[in-house]
Amino acid sequence: MKFAGPLASCLIMTCLLLGAVPALAEEAAPKVVVTPVMKSAVTATGQPIQLPQTDAEVEVSTYDIPVGAKLPVHKHPYPRYAYVLSGKLEVTYLDAGTTTVYEAGGFIIEAVDQWHKASNIGTEPVKLLVIDMIEAGHVNVVKQ
């Protein structure tokens, strides 16, 4: 069977347009954007990252640290990671003799078993998303 004339042109255009609709729908769909924040194999003081070997447990929490607040000298026996959601946090590692300032968007890989202290040195509260990798039943903050 042969098609000719305006009907054939209309049929061909319809087929082409219908074939393009899924492609247009894919282009219009919102794209997922992945933005790397950090990649590291060491802590803030250069220690290799080592995870708990038995009964590993993940604990996730948020910390709200008011302007001018200071965290006492403490250490973490297990890995701790923190994403700074807002504010400006100064962390001083006493054992390593280093001080680092972390701001919103920054990521902290805490030193393990090293004494340190922190304070909010900014003009707004610090909000942290904290992830601890601990052995089940243990805590990850030891005060001096």
Side-chain angles (χ1 to χ4, degrees), residues 32-124:
V32 173
V33 177
V34 176
T35 305
V37 174
M38 169 187 231
K39 183 176 183 177
S40 179
V42 297
T43 69
T45 61
Q47 300 167 302
I49 295 173
Q50 296 180 355
L51 302 178
Q53 299 301 303
T54 58
D55 299 324
E57 184 174 80
V58 175
E59 184 173 287
V60 181
S61 50
T62 58
Y63 279 59
D64 293 292
I65 305 169
V67 174
K70 297 177 186 299
L71 286 91
V73 175
H74 64 283
K75 65 181 177 177
H76 308 288
Y78 300 99
R80 170 173 275 198
Y81 312 101
Y83 181 74
V84 184
L85 297 165
S86 64
K88 188 186 262 189
L89 185 71
E90 180 180 78
V91 181
T92 300
Y93 290 95
L94 305 175
D95 293 342
T98 61
T99 298
T100 304
V101 175
Y102 298 95
E103 298 187 49
F107 194 80
I108 307 166
I109 301 176
E110 294 269 17
V112 176
D113 258 345
Q114 291 185 358
W115 296 110
H116 60 283
K117 60 184 180 177
S119 57
N120 180 341
I121 62 168
T123 58
E124 65 177 300

